[in-house]
Amino acid sequence: MGTFFHRHRGATPYLLLAPGVLWLAIFFLIPLAFLGYESLQSGLFPSFEFTWQFSNFSDGIRDYHEQFIRSFVYAGIATAACLLLAYPLVYWIAFRAGPWRNLFLLFIVAPFFVTYLVRTIAWLNILADQGPVVSILRDLHILGPDGRLLATTFAVVSGITYNFFPFMALPIYVSLEQMDQRLLEAAKDLYASPTQAFIRVTLPLSAPGIVAGTLLTFIPAAGDFINAALLGTPNQAMIGNVIQSKFLESLDYPSAAALSFILMGLILVSLLVYARIVGSERLTG
Amino acid sequence: MNPRLTRQELLRRGAAGSALLAFPSLLAACGGGGGGSDTGEVNDVLNFSNWELYIDTPKTRKVAGLTGPTTLEQFTTKTGIKVNYFEDINSNSEYFATVQGRLRQGDGIGRDIIVSTDNDRFLGDYISNGWAQKLDKDLIPNISNLIAAQASPPFDPNREYSLPWFSGMDGIAWNTELTGPVTSVTQLLEDPKLKGKVGVWNSMGDTLGLVMLENGDDPAKVTDESFDRAIAVIQKAQDAGQIRRFYGNDYAQPLATGDLAASMAWSGDILNLGDPKVQWGIAEKGGIIWTDNMIIPTGGSVPTASTYMNFVYDPQIAAELSLGANYISSVTGVKDEASKLNPDAASNTLAFPTDDMLAQMHQNDPTMFANPEYTKKWLAVQGK
Amino acid sequence: MTTIAASPPRARRSVAARTWAFVKRHALMVYALLVVAYLMLPIAVVILFSFNKPAGKFNYVWEEFTFDNWVNWNSVLGIQDAIITSLKVGLLATVVATALGTLMAMAIVRHHFVGRGATNVLVFLPMSTPEIVLGASLLTLFLNTSSIFQLGFITIFIAHVMFIVSFVVVTVKARLIGFDRHLEEAAMDLGANEATTFRKVTLPLIAPAMLAAALLGFALSIDDFVITYFNAGGTQTFPIFVWGIARVAVPPQVNVVASAIFIVAIAFALTNVFWEYRSAKRTRGAT
């Protein structure tokens, strides 16, 4: 009877999948196929021709490996920062916030209701060279007398971190919220210290959330362009910026398409490596 | 009137002549391009896409001391044509990217008039790909009010496809609390006192145009050597840490908050900033003037659009537009009309430049923008 | 001799020990509040500047305090339509994407079927694709099917569901992995069929995850610019409006609208807090 959910082959999974997969198939895969076709074209706008131009891919790697690497490094740092910042917060929300939890969940997501541009203008105000934050940091000699926070790698990575924070926080919350408190009580009964209980019980049980949050943060962050565009200098250009300019300014659609596929490929490879590390059941259940 | 511009016009006409010869073959290669357009009839609706806050509104009219209905409303009253006004252009490149697919297929985009800037590749692309329809000049007698300097631009030597909407000037702005006046591009890019607090644009025409003028080269006739010279100057300043960032139009905030001591800046932005501690001036060796042009895309109604263009080339209407939006008009007599309506505002040289100022202005060479080598080098300087 | 661990009598603990215990107990909360403060810092500035009266058209530097912007919040042409469109698309797309995504998550986690790996890859692909090419290639699809899809609200809605679904799937999956099936089995043992079990047992248990996913989805939708811009025709959502106007001005009304959404949402959440408080009290009173 309970086995109905586990082993019933047949149509159920396909029925459940159908609407979503159909939506993605039509509105994502078909455009993606067109993108693939474009990636093997050559020529100048507007007369592109399909010529099996695989050199678009090799040229892309050759010319922009620096930006690719930088994107993954920035995304990685931002993901780690999000994890460290978010976990204690959502732990508190899940276990200690009581009736206030939904309010705090809203606080996590609220920055998105204020458009990206508007909150970036606010950050540009807060972190301005002559603003309070930089002044304090200069007084504390954390920053040199000419030091600045904006137009730096720090600014770009911080921007990515701030922007993707909810994507890390909410999945972890989802995982923690469902945890059975009695397991913690059992651990305490067995003489575990709070730290031990956390490490041996809570952390592993929240692992699916951590994995989900890591993916939801890292993957889109790698392709991000807007933070580097508004907060960075040429030294911080990410692959997203390259693709953006290839598409909009150079009108080099084949190159832009090829670079996008390389990015997707690299992300999928990272996923495989990650799945191997954490164990693929954590990824897929 | 404007001696320098006239000389340049002559030079350009030479170049334009050869370009004209190329035009018919270009159009033939594109198969004629333009899809089904008008039936010769004026419609009762005009669909007009423009940049945001680029026209007079009740609020801006009040601030400018103008009474009465907006120019769009006046147009409807006069001609009976209703205007659907879309403010959906926020970037030449992004707008182009969203419409090029339809235009390539020969389809219309649901607009009779769109606006694109002349110092980027896209305006030229619309015209050279056959995606802009010819104006019906019989319906635009006011075209005679177009100022001489704009009569024969390189991308449209006979003004067959486009007419200016507003212009802006490229110059240098500085924060008076952080530095004295910054009067030359060299000072901007090399003065060690400004290190790390200098802004330049991320658009090729504007930044390299000013640098070329500083180098003594003509931005209206770009050669490989003059381009490389200009790139080298920017690269040097970037490597030395002089340039803080390459900006779009977002340099206004850092100038106001003091993150930038000085920056290449558009006259309109500084006017709109309204901050007395941010001053603007034309660089010693001259500035670049850019112009947003109206064109009629494929599928647009030529008679309806032409009727509207004629309306806005009336000096009185042009004055109201200029006062209401704070940008530079290309219609003769606009300054006199504006003085009648609001003498104070009309004396603001950022919106109503003097002949002296205009004499220092130059235009970009449109062949520079679509050159893939140049684009590649320019993007490389920005890390892209 | 061993003693069972027990806390020493209160009176004998030193001040230091008591302070340390206090700090340990509240450290987490303090930390949490600090992180929330960090998250809210720009929002505070946005709300503050909504009361600003800027000298020019840009709202960058504080000038003076005024209520004008709140009174005349929709005096900037287009802002009202833009925010209403954003909210409509957001709610609609979130509801649909949450439904589709939850179904997909259930299929992936609970069933072993042919194509499971491929489905997982399919879920991750939209997230890995840069927005600009995602938006532009979707536009190409719409252009080639222009008889069915007219650019406008519908195409924005379709695009939003498309890129939100993946986030919903991954978030709900995190809940379903580790879901205690025994509860469902117990329900079935007690005579419920699959549908009833789903409705009365499964759904309430995964509801918090669906809510979290929906929050995430709504946030994605209301803040999206690039994909929306490419597929909007001339329709304006709030981000499109803001990006468009920013070339020339950043009027305080933009801050007003943004702050208003935030405040309304917080108000909803506060009523929810109040509600939970009351029902908690009631259940305590009933026992």
Side-chain angles (χ1 to χ4, degrees), chain A residues 75 79 82 160 163-172 174 208-222 271 274 283, chain C residues 123-124 127-128 163-174 212-213 216-217 220:
Chain A
T79 305
C82 279
I160 300 177
N163 260 336
F164 286 96
F165 187 88
F167 298 92
M168 175 66 78
L170 288 178
I172 301 180
V174 157
I210 296 179
V211 168
T214 314
L215 294 174
L216 287 187
T217 307
F218 181 82
I219 295 178
L271 272 182
Y274 191 60
L283 221 54
Chain C
V123 165
F124 286 121
M127 288 191 269
S128 345
F163 70 75
I164 293 176
V165 151
S166 306
F167 290 86
V168 173
V169 172
V170 176
T171 307
V172 175
K173 256 168 56 173
L216 214 52
L220 276 170

Short mmCIF file of all heavy atoms in Angstrom, two decimals, chain A residues 75 79 82 160 163-172 174 208-222 271 274 283, chain C residues 123-124 127-128 163-174 212-213 216-217 220:
data_model
loop_
_atom_site.label_atom_id
_atom_site.label_comp_id
_atom_site.label_asym_id
_atom_site.label_seq_id
_atom_site.Cartn_x
_atom_site.Cartn_y
_atom_site.Cartn_z
N ALA A 75 31.55 33.46 -8.43
CA ALA A 75 30.32 32.75 -8.05
C ALA A 75 30.60 31.84 -6.86
O ALA A 75 29.77 31.74 -5.95
CB ALA A 75 29.79 31.94 -9.23
N THR A 79 28.87 32.20 -3.29
CA THR A 79 28.06 31.09 -2.77
C THR A 79 28.50 30.73 -1.36
O THR A 79 27.67 30.54 -0.46
CB THR A 79 28.20 29.87 -3.69
OG1 THR A 79 27.83 30.25 -5.02
CG2 THR A 79 27.30 28.74 -3.23
N CYS A 82 27.31 33.39 0.97
CA CYS A 82 25.87 33.25 1.21
C CYS A 82 25.60 32.15 2.20
O CYS A 82 24.78 32.30 3.11
CB CYS A 82 25.14 32.93 -0.09
SG CYS A 82 24.81 34.34 -1.14
N ILE A 160 26.94 40.30 -5.81
CA ILE A 160 26.42 38.98 -6.16
C ILE A 160 25.89 38.30 -4.90
O ILE A 160 24.80 37.71 -4.90
CB ILE A 160 27.50 38.12 -6.83
CG1 ILE A 160 28.00 38.78 -8.11
CG2 ILE A 160 26.97 36.73 -7.13
CD1 ILE A 160 29.12 38.04 -8.78
N ASN A 163 22.62 39.80 -3.76
CA ASN A 163 21.53 39.53 -4.68
C ASN A 163 21.05 38.09 -4.64
O ASN A 163 19.90 37.81 -4.92
CB ASN A 163 21.98 39.84 -6.11
CG ASN A 163 21.48 41.17 -6.54
OD1 ASN A 163 20.50 41.66 -6.03
ND2 ASN A 163 22.17 41.77 -7.48
N PHE A 164 21.96 37.16 -4.36
CA PHE A 164 21.56 35.76 -4.41
C PHE A 164 21.29 35.18 -3.03
O PHE A 164 21.03 33.98 -2.91
CB PHE A 164 22.62 34.93 -5.16
CG PHE A 164 22.58 35.16 -6.63
CD1 PHE A 164 23.42 36.07 -7.24
CD2 PHE A 164 21.67 34.47 -7.42
CE1 PHE A 164 23.37 36.29 -8.61
CE2 PHE A 164 21.62 34.68 -8.79
CZ PHE A 164 22.46 35.60 -9.38
N PHE A 165 21.34 36.00 -2.02
CA PHE A 165 21.13 35.53 -0.66
C PHE A 165 19.84 34.73 -0.48
O PHE A 165 19.86 33.65 0.10
CB PHE A 165 21.19 36.72 0.31
CG PHE A 165 21.14 36.35 1.74
CD1 PHE A 165 22.30 36.06 2.42
CD2 PHE A 165 19.94 36.29 2.42
CE1 PHE A 165 22.27 35.72 3.75
CE2 PHE A 165 19.91 35.94 3.76
CZ PHE A 165 21.07 35.66 4.42
N PRO A 166 18.69 35.20 -0.96
CA PRO A 166 17.46 34.42 -0.76
C PRO A 166 17.52 33.04 -1.40
O PRO A 166 16.89 32.11 -0.91
CB PRO A 166 16.38 35.26 -1.44
CG PRO A 166 16.96 36.60 -1.64
CD PRO A 166 18.42 36.45 -1.70
N PHE A 167 18.28 32.91 -2.48
CA PHE A 167 18.33 31.62 -3.17
C PHE A 167 19.07 30.57 -2.34
O PHE A 167 18.87 29.37 -2.53
CB PHE A 167 19.01 31.76 -4.53
CG PHE A 167 18.28 32.69 -5.43
CD1 PHE A 167 18.60 34.03 -5.46
CD2 PHE A 167 17.26 32.23 -6.22
CE1 PHE A 167 17.91 34.91 -6.28
CE2 PHE A 167 16.57 33.10 -7.04
CZ PHE A 167 16.89 34.43 -7.07
N MET A 168 19.95 31.04 -1.45
CA MET A 168 20.62 30.12 -0.55
C MET A 168 19.76 29.92 0.69
O MET A 168 19.59 28.80 1.17
CB MET A 168 21.99 30.72 -0.14
CG MET A 168 22.73 29.91 0.90
SD MET A 168 23.24 28.30 0.31
CE MET A 168 24.67 28.75 -0.66
N ALA A 169 19.20 31.00 1.18
CA ALA A 169 18.52 30.95 2.48
C ALA A 169 17.25 30.11 2.43
O ALA A 169 17.02 29.27 3.30
CB ALA A 169 18.22 32.36 2.95
N LEU A 170 16.40 30.35 1.45
CA LEU A 170 15.10 29.69 1.47
C LEU A 170 15.16 28.16 1.34
O LEU A 170 14.47 27.46 2.07
CB LEU A 170 14.18 30.29 0.41
CG LEU A 170 13.70 31.71 0.77
CD1 LEU A 170 12.82 32.29 -0.31
CD2 LEU A 170 12.92 31.69 2.07
N PRO A 171 15.97 27.61 0.44
CA PRO A 171 16.04 26.15 0.40
C PRO A 171 16.56 25.53 1.71
O PRO A 171 16.08 24.48 2.13
CB PRO A 171 17.00 25.86 -0.76
CG PRO A 171 16.92 27.05 -1.63
CD PRO A 171 16.70 28.20 -0.70
N ILE A 172 17.53 26.18 2.34
CA ILE A 172 18.02 25.66 3.62
C ILE A 172 16.91 25.71 4.66
O ILE A 172 16.71 24.76 5.43
CB ILE A 172 19.25 26.43 4.12
CG1 ILE A 172 20.38 26.36 3.11
CG2 ILE A 172 19.72 25.89 5.45
CD1 ILE A 172 21.62 27.11 3.54
N VAL A 174 13.76 25.51 4.12
CA VAL A 174 12.82 24.44 3.78
C VAL A 174 13.26 23.12 4.40
O VAL A 174 12.47 22.35 4.92
CB VAL A 174 12.73 24.34 2.24
CG1 VAL A 174 12.25 22.98 1.81
CG2 VAL A 174 11.83 25.42 1.71
N PRO A 208 20.19 18.30 2.22
CA PRO A 208 19.49 18.54 0.95
C PRO A 208 19.23 20.02 0.71
O PRO A 208 19.34 20.50 -0.42
CB PRO A 208 18.17 17.79 1.12
CG PRO A 208 18.40 16.79 2.18
CD PRO A 208 19.42 17.37 3.08
N GLY A 209 18.93 20.75 1.77
CA GLY A 209 18.70 22.19 1.62
C GLY A 209 19.97 22.92 1.25
O GLY A 209 19.97 23.83 0.42
N ILE A 210 21.08 22.51 1.89
CA ILE A 210 22.35 23.16 1.57
C ILE A 210 22.71 22.92 0.11
O ILE A 210 23.14 23.82 -0.60
CB ILE A 210 23.46 22.64 2.50
CG1 ILE A 210 23.15 23.02 3.93
CG2 ILE A 210 24.80 23.22 2.09
CD1 ILE A 210 24.18 22.52 4.92
N VAL A 211 22.55 21.67 -0.31
CA VAL A 211 22.85 21.36 -1.70
C VAL A 211 21.97 22.18 -2.63
O VAL A 211 22.45 22.81 -3.59
CB VAL A 211 22.66 19.85 -1.96
CG1 VAL A 211 22.68 19.56 -3.44
CG2 VAL A 211 23.74 19.06 -1.26
N ALA A 212 20.67 22.21 -2.35
CA ALA A 212 19.76 22.97 -3.21
C ALA A 212 20.15 24.45 -3.23
O ALA A 212 20.22 25.07 -4.29
CB ALA A 212 18.33 22.80 -2.71
N GLY A 213 20.42 25.00 -2.05
CA GLY A 213 20.78 26.42 -1.99
C GLY A 213 22.05 26.70 -2.74
O GLY A 213 22.16 27.71 -3.46
N THR A 214 23.03 25.83 -2.59
CA THR A 214 24.29 26.03 -3.30
C THR A 214 24.07 26.07 -4.81
O THR A 214 24.60 26.92 -5.51
CB THR A 214 25.26 24.89 -2.97
OG1 THR A 214 25.25 24.67 -1.58
CG2 THR A 214 26.66 25.22 -3.42
N LEU A 215 23.25 25.16 -5.30
CA LEU A 215 23.01 25.12 -6.73
C LEU A 215 22.26 26.35 -7.20
O LEU A 215 22.60 26.98 -8.21
CB LEU A 215 22.22 23.87 -7.09
CG LEU A 215 22.96 22.56 -6.88
CD1 LEU A 215 22.04 21.38 -7.11
CD2 LEU A 215 24.15 22.47 -7.79
N LEU A 216 21.21 26.73 -6.45
CA LEU A 216 20.40 27.87 -6.87
C LEU A 216 21.16 29.18 -6.81
O LEU A 216 20.75 30.17 -7.41
CB LEU A 216 19.14 27.98 -6.01
CG LEU A 216 18.07 26.94 -6.27
CD1 LEU A 216 16.81 27.28 -5.48
CD2 LEU A 216 17.73 26.86 -7.73
N THR A 217 22.25 29.18 -6.04
CA THR A 217 23.07 30.39 -5.96
C THR A 217 24.17 30.36 -6.99
O THR A 217 24.34 31.29 -7.78
CB THR A 217 23.69 30.52 -4.56
OG1 THR A 217 22.66 30.42 -3.60
CG2 THR A 217 24.40 31.85 -4.42
N PHE A 218 24.95 29.28 -7.00
CA PHE A 218 26.13 29.24 -7.84
C PHE A 218 25.78 29.30 -9.32
O PHE A 218 26.40 30.05 -10.09
CB PHE A 218 26.93 27.97 -7.54
CG PHE A 218 28.17 27.86 -8.36
CD1 PHE A 218 29.32 28.53 -7.99
CD2 PHE A 218 28.19 27.11 -9.53
CE1 PHE A 218 30.47 28.44 -8.75
CE2 PHE A 218 29.33 27.02 -10.30
CZ PHE A 218 30.48 27.69 -9.91
N ILE A 219 24.80 28.52 -9.73
CA ILE A 219 24.53 28.39 -11.16
C ILE A 219 24.15 29.73 -11.81
O ILE A 219 24.77 30.14 -12.79
CB ILE A 219 23.47 27.31 -11.43
CG1 ILE A 219 24.01 25.95 -11.01
CG2 ILE A 219 23.07 27.31 -12.89
CD1 ILE A 219 23.03 24.82 -11.20
N PRO A 220 23.14 30.43 -11.30
CA PRO A 220 22.86 31.71 -11.95
C PRO A 220 23.94 32.75 -11.71
O PRO A 220 24.14 33.62 -12.56
CB PRO A 220 21.53 32.14 -11.32
CG PRO A 220 21.28 31.28 -10.17
CD PRO A 220 22.15 30.09 -10.27
N ALA A 221 24.66 32.65 -10.59
CA ALA A 221 25.69 33.67 -10.32
C ALA A 221 26.81 33.59 -11.33
O ALA A 221 27.41 34.61 -11.68
CB ALA A 221 26.24 33.49 -8.91
N ALA A 222 27.10 32.38 -11.80
CA ALA A 222 28.20 32.24 -12.76
C ALA A 222 27.92 33.02 -14.04
O ALA A 222 28.82 33.51 -14.69
CB ALA A 222 28.42 30.77 -13.07
N LEU A 271 28.42 20.51 -11.94
CA LEU A 271 27.34 19.78 -11.28
C LEU A 271 27.71 18.32 -11.06
O LEU A 271 27.46 17.74 -10.00
CB LEU A 271 26.07 19.86 -12.11
CG LEU A 271 25.14 21.04 -11.87
CD1 LEU A 271 23.91 20.92 -12.74
CD2 LEU A 271 24.72 21.07 -10.41
N TYR A 274 30.18 18.06 -8.36
CA TYR A 274 29.51 18.33 -7.10
C TYR A 274 28.68 17.13 -6.66
O TYR A 274 28.68 16.75 -5.49
CB TYR A 274 28.64 19.57 -7.26
CG TYR A 274 28.08 20.13 -5.98
CD1 TYR A 274 28.90 20.57 -4.96
CD2 TYR A 274 26.71 20.23 -5.80
CE1 TYR A 274 28.38 21.09 -3.80
CE2 TYR A 274 26.18 20.76 -4.64
CZ TYR A 274 27.02 21.19 -3.65
OH TYR A 274 26.49 21.71 -2.49
N LEU A 283 21.33 15.06 -4.57
CA LEU A 283 20.99 15.94 -5.69
C LEU A 283 19.62 15.61 -6.23
O LEU A 283 18.86 16.47 -6.65
CB LEU A 283 22.04 15.74 -6.80
CG LEU A 283 22.50 16.98 -7.52
CD1 LEU A 283 22.99 17.99 -6.51
CD2 LEU A 283 23.63 16.62 -8.44
N VAL C 123 16.06 20.60 -15.77
CA VAL C 123 15.72 21.57 -14.72
C VAL C 123 16.84 22.57 -14.52
O VAL C 123 16.61 23.76 -14.32
CB VAL C 123 15.39 20.83 -13.41
CG1 VAL C 123 15.40 21.79 -12.24
CG2 VAL C 123 14.03 20.16 -13.52
N PHE C 124 18.09 22.09 -14.58
CA PHE C 124 19.20 22.99 -14.29
C PHE C 124 19.58 23.89 -15.46
O PHE C 124 20.21 24.92 -15.28
CB PHE C 124 20.43 22.19 -13.86
CG PHE C 124 20.31 21.64 -12.49
CD1 PHE C 124 20.40 20.28 -12.25
CD2 PHE C 124 20.10 22.48 -11.40
CE1 PHE C 124 20.27 19.77 -10.97
CE2 PHE C 124 19.98 21.98 -10.12
CZ PHE C 124 20.06 20.61 -9.91
N MET C 127 18.60 27.79 -15.61
CA MET C 127 19.35 28.60 -14.64
C MET C 127 20.76 28.88 -15.13
O MET C 127 21.37 29.88 -14.74
CB MET C 127 19.45 27.85 -13.31
CG MET C 127 18.20 27.77 -12.52
SD MET C 127 18.60 27.16 -10.89
CE MET C 127 18.41 25.42 -11.14
N SER C 128 21.31 27.95 -15.93
CA SER C 128 22.70 28.12 -16.35
C SER C 128 22.85 28.99 -17.58
O SER C 128 23.95 29.35 -17.96
CB SER C 128 23.34 26.76 -16.68
OG SER C 128 22.60 25.71 -16.18
N PHE C 163 11.32 30.56 -16.51
CA PHE C 163 12.56 30.60 -15.75
C PHE C 163 12.34 30.44 -14.25
O PHE C 163 13.30 30.21 -13.52
CB PHE C 163 13.42 31.83 -16.09
CG PHE C 163 12.90 33.16 -15.63
CD1 PHE C 163 12.97 33.54 -14.30
CD2 PHE C 163 12.36 34.04 -16.54
CE1 PHE C 163 12.52 34.78 -13.89
CE2 PHE C 163 11.90 35.28 -16.14
CZ PHE C 163 11.97 35.65 -14.82
N ILE C 164 11.09 30.52 -13.77
CA ILE C 164 10.85 30.33 -12.35
C ILE C 164 10.74 28.84 -11.99
O ILE C 164 11.16 28.41 -10.91
CB ILE C 164 9.55 31.04 -11.92
CG1 ILE C 164 9.73 32.55 -12.02
CG2 ILE C 164 9.17 30.68 -10.50
CD1 ILE C 164 8.46 33.29 -11.71
N VAL C 165 10.18 28.05 -12.92
CA VAL C 165 9.89 26.65 -12.62
C VAL C 165 11.10 25.91 -12.04
O VAL C 165 10.97 25.19 -11.04
CB VAL C 165 9.39 25.94 -13.91
CG1 VAL C 165 9.74 24.48 -13.90
CG2 VAL C 165 7.91 26.10 -14.05
N SER C 166 12.28 26.12 -12.63
CA SER C 166 13.46 25.39 -12.15
C SER C 166 13.73 25.67 -10.68
O SER C 166 14.08 24.78 -9.91
CB SER C 166 14.70 25.79 -12.95
OG SER C 166 14.48 25.64 -14.31
N PHE C 167 13.58 26.94 -10.29
CA PHE C 167 13.85 27.29 -8.90
C PHE C 167 12.86 26.62 -7.96
O PHE C 167 13.21 26.19 -6.86
CB PHE C 167 13.82 28.81 -8.72
CG PHE C 167 14.97 29.52 -9.38
CD1 PHE C 167 14.91 29.88 -10.71
CD2 PHE C 167 16.11 29.80 -8.67
CE1 PHE C 167 15.98 30.51 -11.32
CE2 PHE C 167 17.19 30.46 -9.27
CZ PHE C 167 17.12 30.80 -10.61
N VAL C 168 11.60 26.53 -8.41
CA VAL C 168 10.60 25.87 -7.59
C VAL C 168 10.94 24.39 -7.42
O VAL C 168 10.90 23.85 -6.32
CB VAL C 168 9.19 26.02 -8.22
CG1 VAL C 168 8.18 25.19 -7.46
CG2 VAL C 168 8.78 27.47 -8.23
N VAL C 169 11.32 23.75 -8.55
CA VAL C 169 11.62 22.32 -8.49
C VAL C 169 12.72 22.05 -7.47
O VAL C 169 12.59 21.20 -6.59
CB VAL C 169 12.05 21.80 -9.88
CG1 VAL C 169 12.55 20.38 -9.78
CG2 VAL C 169 10.90 21.87 -10.86
N VAL C 170 13.81 22.80 -7.58
CA VAL C 170 14.95 22.54 -6.71
C VAL C 170 14.59 22.81 -5.25
O VAL C 170 15.00 22.07 -4.35
CB VAL C 170 16.16 23.40 -7.14
CG1 VAL C 170 17.30 23.22 -6.17
CG2 VAL C 170 16.60 23.01 -8.53
N THR C 171 13.82 23.84 -5.00
CA THR C 171 13.46 24.17 -3.61
C THR C 171 12.54 23.12 -3.01
O THR C 171 12.75 22.66 -1.89
CB THR C 171 12.77 25.55 -3.56
OG1 THR C 171 13.60 26.50 -4.20
CG2 THR C 171 12.52 25.97 -2.14
N VAL C 172 11.51 22.71 -3.76
CA VAL C 172 10.57 21.73 -3.22
C VAL C 172 11.25 20.37 -3.07
O VAL C 172 10.96 19.60 -2.15
CB VAL C 172 9.31 21.63 -4.11
CG1 VAL C 172 8.39 20.53 -3.64
CG2 VAL C 172 8.59 22.97 -4.12
N LYS C 173 12.17 20.06 -4.00
CA LYS C 173 12.92 18.81 -3.88
C LYS C 173 13.62 18.71 -2.54
O LYS C 173 13.65 17.65 -1.92
CB LYS C 173 13.97 18.72 -5.00
CG LYS C 173 13.59 17.79 -6.12
CD LYS C 173 14.47 17.91 -7.32
CE LYS C 173 15.93 17.71 -7.02
NZ LYS C 173 16.75 17.68 -8.25
N ALA C 174 14.17 19.83 -2.08
CA ALA C 174 14.89 19.83 -0.80
C ALA C 174 13.98 19.38 0.33
O ALA C 174 14.42 18.82 1.32
CB ALA C 174 15.47 21.22 -0.52
N ALA C 212 7.78 28.80 0.42
CA ALA C 212 9.12 29.35 0.23
C ALA C 212 9.46 29.44 -1.25
O ALA C 212 10.01 30.44 -1.73
CB ALA C 212 10.14 28.49 0.97
N ALA C 213 9.12 28.38 -2.01
CA ALA C 213 9.40 28.40 -3.44
C ALA C 213 8.61 29.50 -4.13
O ALA C 213 9.12 30.18 -5.03
CB ALA C 213 9.05 27.03 -4.05
N LEU C 216 10.23 32.83 -3.51
CA LEU C 216 11.40 32.94 -4.37
C LEU C 216 10.97 33.27 -5.80
O LEU C 216 11.54 34.12 -6.47
CB LEU C 216 12.16 31.62 -4.34
CG LEU C 216 13.67 31.65 -4.44
CD1 LEU C 216 14.26 32.61 -3.44
CD2 LEU C 216 14.21 30.25 -4.21
N GLY C 217 9.97 32.55 -6.27
CA GLY C 217 9.49 32.75 -7.63
C GLY C 217 8.95 34.15 -7.85
O GLY C 217 9.24 34.80 -8.85
N LEU C 220 11.79 36.59 -8.07
CA LEU C 220 12.42 36.51 -9.38
C LEU C 220 11.61 37.27 -10.42
O LEU C 220 12.14 38.00 -11.25
CB LEU C 220 12.53 35.05 -9.83
CG LEU C 220 13.73 34.26 -9.32
CD1 LEU C 220 13.52 32.79 -9.66
CD2 LEU C 220 14.99 34.77 -9.97
#
